[in-house]
């Protein structure tokens, strides 16, 4: 191990393109990501078109950046988040995720031991999701120019022929489903920051969802809309759908799956679980006649055990989401204004 890694902290030399950088890439990234596309360390990954075409007739391509604070939290860390977040963005098109890139911005002085924990976690998450991290880059900036480390991941997947999931396809009469408890990730981050001392800590729901989506598509190949409810929560996703499709939506408060611990966090902090971030939850809009079959498919999969039908698409009020409250009233669920919890992902 060279003197720069021997210090066990990131130096500016680790981003300088020389021996220190090469050693860091080989001893951390290549070792933990271990795949034939990355190992040659070319400036790009070279993927045969034949490896893509059997899976479908279109590519899905997405990118996301991760700045979560703290880096480690109950149920995950920035590494698992960076893999699963991009995998899930691909999955919401019905795609099979295949390849990821990884770009990191590192702060001078960052512990190499901490960095290796993150990289190792990314490798495990990629293996669990069945994807390969095939190319990447690192940059090092002076102390204070970034908070420890930020990650960008870009993903490539293949959409099966005949799958046409899009936010504008929501139609009056469609059913609205979620695959489980809302707000777990947001509550886990609040707990990890020490803002509350919870008697029953909540773990982030960070998980890959493409297996669940495949099971749902097997039950209903004509799923109309899918989106993972990350920043802004379920409420923001539904508002995006009604605006794209020019429809309304009606939710039943009694049907919303929320853990009592998360509900308590929201009551203490004045938050609404509909707006809390998730990292392993999706919202699905499906034809009414297929709703029970999709729900059964959800509940048969580990990522959808607590799935629920939470409402329906309506013709009016156009562009609005309405919540029927447990007390018999109604309220508008509007688009989130401002930031509930900064650096949540």
């Amino acid at each position: 191990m060279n003197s720069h890694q021997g210090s066990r902290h990131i130096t500016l030399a680790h981003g300088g393109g020389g021996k220190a950088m090469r050693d860091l890439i080989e001893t951390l990234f290549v070792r933990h990501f271990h795949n034939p596309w990355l190992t040659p360390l070319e400036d790009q990954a070279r993927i045969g078109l034949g490896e893509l075409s059997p899976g479908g007739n279109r590519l899905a391509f997405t990118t996301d950046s991760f700045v979560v604070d703290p880096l480690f939290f109950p149920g995950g860390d920035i590494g698992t988040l960076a893999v699963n977040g991009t995998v899930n963005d691909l999955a919401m098109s019905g795609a099979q995720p295949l390849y990821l890139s990884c770009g990191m911005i590192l702060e001078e002085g960052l512990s190499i031991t901490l960095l290796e924990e993150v990289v190792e976690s990314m490798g495990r998450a990629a293996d669990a999701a069945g994807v390969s991290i095939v190319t990447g880059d690192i940059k090092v900036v002076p102390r204070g120019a970034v908070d420890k480390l930020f990650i960008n991941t870009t993903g490539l997947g293949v959409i099966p022929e005949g799958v046409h999931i899009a936010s504008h396809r929501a139609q009056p009469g469609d059913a609205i489903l979620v695959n489980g408890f809302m707000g777990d990730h947001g509550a886990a981050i609040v707990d990890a920051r020490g803002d509350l001392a919870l008697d029953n800590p909540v773990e982030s729901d960070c998980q890959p969802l493409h297996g669940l989506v495949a099971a749902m598509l097997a039950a209903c190949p004509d799923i109309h809309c899918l989106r993972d409810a990350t920043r802004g929560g379920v409420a923001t996703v539904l508002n995006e759908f009604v605006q794209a499709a020019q429809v309304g939506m009606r939710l039943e408060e009694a049907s919303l799956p929320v853990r009592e611990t998360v509900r308590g966090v929201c009551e203490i902090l004045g938050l609404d679980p509909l707006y809390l971030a998730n990292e392993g939850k999706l919202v699905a809009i499906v034809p009414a006649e297929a709703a029970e079959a999709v729900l059964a498919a959800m509940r048969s999969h580990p990522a959808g055990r607590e799935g629920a039908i939470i409402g329906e698409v309506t013709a009016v009020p156009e562009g609005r989401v309405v919540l029927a409250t447990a007390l018999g009233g109604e309220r508008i669920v509007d688009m989130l204004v401002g930031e509930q919890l900064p650096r949540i992902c």
Side-chain angles (χ1 to χ4, degrees), residues 123-290:
R124 288 197 305 267
D127 288 345
V131 298
S132 298
I133 303 173
V134 297
T135 189
D137 183 48
I138 59 172
K139 293 292 190 293
V140 180
V141 296
R143 293 177 190 270
V146 69
D147 185 6
K148 302 180 186 69
L149 74 102
F150 295 161
I151 301 177
N152 173 273
T153 46
T154 294
L156 188 67
V158 179
I159 304 173
E161 190 169 357
V163 174
H164 299 285
I165 299 168
S167 56
H168 69 269
R169 294 194 64 214
Q171 301 172 19
D174 285 353
I176 307 168
L177 294 82
V178 296
N179 63 308
F181 293 118
M182 303 186 309
D184 286 0
H185 179 71
I189 296 298
V190 169
D191 186 33
R193 290 175 181 170
D195 296 339
L196 292 173
L198 300 179
D199 292 332
N200 299 300
V202 179
E203 288 195 350
S204 170
D205 57 346
C206 184
Q207 60 182 336
L209 295 175
H210 56 299
L212 173 65
V213 172
M216 293 165 60
L217 283 168
C220 174
D222 190 32
I223 291 174
H224 289 168
C225 314
L226 278 180
R227 192 156 294 175
D228 53 336
T230 54
R231 289 169 294 175
V234 170
T236 297
V237 168
L238 295 179
N239 273 279
E240 290 170 347
F241 287 163
V242 297
Q243 290 173 16
Q246 290 300 291
V247 295
M249 291 186 180
R250 182 180 177 85
L251 307 180
E252 297 294 333
E253 186 175 38
S255 300
L256 300 178
V258 183
R259 297 184 197 275
E260 284 304 313
T261 304
V262 174
R263 198 181 302 276
V265 168
C266 290
E267 289 174 357
I268 292 170
L269 297 179
L271 303 174
D272 185 334
L274 275 168
Y275 294 94
L276 276 187
N278 309 271
E279 288 296 341
K281 296 299 181 300
L282 58 78
V283 181
I285 310 296
V286 305
E289 62 272 18

Side-chain angles (χ1 to χ4, degrees), residues 61-76:
F61 181 56
T62 189
T63 191
D64 205 350
S65 298
F66 301 87
V67 298
V68 67
D69 178 38
L71 297 178
F72 298 86
F73 46 84

